[in-house]
Amino acid sequence: MENVTNTSIVLTKPFSLGNGNESDSEVYSAPNILQRILSLLRNVRPGSDLTRFQLPPQFNFPKSQLQCYGESIYSKTSDLLSRCNTGQNPLERLIFVVAWSISTTRPAIFGVAPYNPTLGETHHVSKGNLNVLLEQVSHHPPVSALHATDEKENIEIIWCQYPVPKFNGTSVEAQVHGKRQLKLINHGETYEMNSPHLLIKILPVPGIDWVGNVNIKCIETGLVAELCYIGQSFFGFGGSRRLIKGKIIDSSSLKILHEVNGHWDSTVTLKETNSGEVRAIYDAKEVIYGLQAPTVKDAESVWPTESALIWSELSQAILSKNWEKAREAKKAVEERQRELLRERESKGETWVPKHFILSQSKEGVWDCSPIQKWVPASPIVTL
């Protein structure tokens, strides 16, 4: 994964197919990663919440979690988002939304994780007419908000997500809580969906996979897609990895209209229940293959809260495997956050997000509403 730098802004290639990602853990992490992980978790009790767990830089790859969320929206070699608008009827549009939702699932690397975003950190990138903005709206718990808009296509995306990683003795499961919305404004349709969970197996066979149920529902039409991401068995057997199965249902009649089958890192097909006709709806090689890093078009216009700027020294140190410098750089970012917290407390100030309104229900569910109707263009762009 090559890096692009511009006045201390560090941007790296997104995780994708064909970037050699299966070996990238060797590029970014220290040797003997499994032994190091076992040592790191030695005193952690099963069932523990790892949200506040601090990772040494050897366990980080040079990206913030905000960048990972953002890449799943703007880093694609095929425009599945605009295609959602082209469906001739509600069912066709839901099928296109299902394909787009699958495209947001990206390969992960065993043994390394992104940086925990700092409070108020942002990531802002443009791809053509699509402008994507993320902000870390809470630090504890770590809540990330995303707003993406395409004025030409009249499409809006709003995400509010917060991962809760738990140690289970032989594995770590990061449950991604929160809601994702995709609005096709021209059709008056809002699609609500959730995220699969990330399962990191430590023993007996190390590995990492996306697992769990994802439901995609159009609020206005009542059409629903129920997807299940299936990982390998405990011992690493039990069929192929990265499996996805599901069905598309008309919730008013509970009739199954289509069956979904495939692998999210290769092809996914749709089988019509009545006719038995099978067609491909997603090909990962056409969408997430060989993705390139964003580039800086205007360095002076990049916000000081930008992820690629805040973490630039740490990212450079990781890329050069200078672990002493990496420790110092990470410590400097964390100390700066503590200093800002002390300043706010001394003044009796409460931090509020700049780009979103953050709320929490009685049940403890977080929600984020963007303040602006349209996301402005960014000085960081991607093809």
Side-chain angles (χ1 to χ4, degrees):
M1 196 182 276
E2 299 166 3
N3 62 297
V4 180
T5 60
N6 192 332
T7 61
S8 299
I9 298 166
V10 178
L11 294 157
T12 55
K13 284 184 180 180
F15 292 131
S16 64
L17 303 175
N19 275 354
N21 291 313
E22 301 303 330
S23 61
D24 273 348
S25 57
E26 297 174 14
V27 174
Y28 291 137
S29 58
N32 305 316
I33 194 70
L34 181 59
Q35 289 85 346
R36 287 173 177 265
I37 290 172
L38 292 171
S39 175
L40 193 68
L41 297 172
R42 186 175 55 217
N43 298 319
V44 180
R45 292 183 178 180
S48 296
D49 184 340
L50 300 180
T51 302
R52 292 175 180 258
F53 196 74
Q54 293 293 326
L55 286 173
Q58 289 92 335
F59 295 93
N60 287 126
F61 53 76
K63 284 182 198 300
S64 166
Q65 181 65 66
L66 286 191
Q67 290 170 278
C68 294
Y69 287 146
E71 286 171 358
S72 67
I73 300 291
Y74 62 70
S75 289
K76 293 178 172 67
T77 49
S78 179
D79 189 4
L80 296 187
L81 189 60
S82 295
R83 196 174 70 167
C84 294
N85 254 346
T86 65
Q88 297 300 304
N89 55 63
L91 180 57
E92 277 297 303
R93 289 192 290 274
L94 175 70
I95 290 169
F96 288 149
V97 170
V98 168
W100 174 82
S101 175
I102 294 170
S103 77
T104 64
T105 309
R106 303 298 168 89
I109 296 177
F110 177 78
V112 285
Y115 316 134
N116 290 326
T118 61
L119 186 64
E121 180 181 325
T122 59
H123 184 50
H124 185 203
V125 176
S126 291
K127 179 185 175 72
N129 296 303
L130 179 67
N131 301 316
V132 183
L133 170 62
L134 297 99
E135 182 178 19
Q136 192 68 9
V137 293
S138 172
H139 192 53
H140 295 300
V143 182
S144 305
L146 178 149
H147 188 210
T149 56
D150 185 327
E151 288 189 61
K152 182 182 175 184
E153 293 288 340
N154 241 5
I155 291 175
E156 182 178 35
I157 303 165
I158 302 170
W159 287 6
C160 184
Q161 300 194 144
Y162 42 106
V164 180
K166 287 196 174 180
F167 178 55
N168 299 321
T170 58
S171 65
V172 175
E173 183 171 3
Q175 295 190 358
V176 185
H177 296 281
K179 185 170 62 177
R180 298 176 169 186
Q181 283 189 332
L182 169 60
K183 298 182 180 182
L184 303 181
I185 299 168
N186 290 346
H187 300 286
E189 293 173 349
T190 297
Y191 296 83
E192 289 192 348
M193 61 204 81
N194 61 304
S195 168
H197 306 318
L198 190 62
L199 180 63
I200 304 155
K201 291 183 182 177
I202 302 166
L203 294 171
V205 180
I208 187 165
D209 212 347
W210 291 99
V211 298
N213 297 321
V214 171
N215 290 324
I216 304 168
K217 180 177 182 178
C218 179
I219 297 171
E220 291 78 15
T221 67
L223 292 171
V224 178
E226 296 178 353
L227 306 178
C228 182
Y229 286 74
I230 303 168
Q232 286 186 304
S233 68
F234 180 75
F235 290 103
F237 308 124
S240 50
R241 299 169 61 209
R242 300 173 174 174
L243 196 66
I244 188 167
K245 289 181 175 291
K247 53 193 175 183
I248 293 176
I249 304 167
D250 182 344
S251 62
S252 61
S253 63
L254 298 180
K255 183 181 178 183
I256 298 175
L257 306 174
H258 292 88
E259 294 177 359
V260 180
N261 276 289
H263 299 82
W264 59 260
D265 65 336
S266 56
T267 55
V268 179
T269 60
L270 197 71
K271 180 181 179 181
E272 190 175 358
T273 309
N274 284 341
S275 66
E277 180 189 347
V278 177
R279 61 174 164 134
I281 61 166
Y282 179 71
D283 186 346
K285 287 185 178 179
E286 294 179 358
V287 183
I288 59 169
Y289 185 87
L291 300 174
Q292 300 302 308
T295 56
V296 181
K297 189 172 65 174
D298 179 8
E300 290 184 2
S301 298
V302 173
W303 296 340
T305 51
E306 167 61 44
S307 299
L309 186 59
I310 287 175
W311 298 102
S312 59
E313 285 191 27
L314 176 54
S315 294
Q316 286 282 25
I318 290 173
L319 289 165
S320 60
K321 292 190 176 182
N322 186 336
W323 301 117
E324 184 64 34
K325 186 178 178 182
R327 280 190 291 271
E328 291 172 2
K330 192 167 191 179
K331 186 178 179 181
V333 173
E334 291 167 351
E335 183 52 45
R336 174 62 178 156
Q337 287 304 296
R338 286 190 283 268
E339 184 183 320
L340 291 171
L341 176 61
R342 286 192 294 267
E343 283 181 17
R344 287 195 299 271
E345 288 178 341
S346 68
K347 296 175 183 177
E349 294 177 350
T350 302
W351 184 87
V352 291
K354 185 175 181 180
H355 305 283
F356 295 86
I357 296 170
L358 181 65
S359 60
Q360 189 179 25
S361 70
K362 292 178 181 178
E363 295 75 29
V365 178
W366 293 91
D367 197 16
C368 310
S369 302
I371 292 173
Q372 291 180 293
K373 182 180 180 182
W374 301 106
V375 177
S378 170
I380 299 175
V381 299
T382 189
L383 297 175

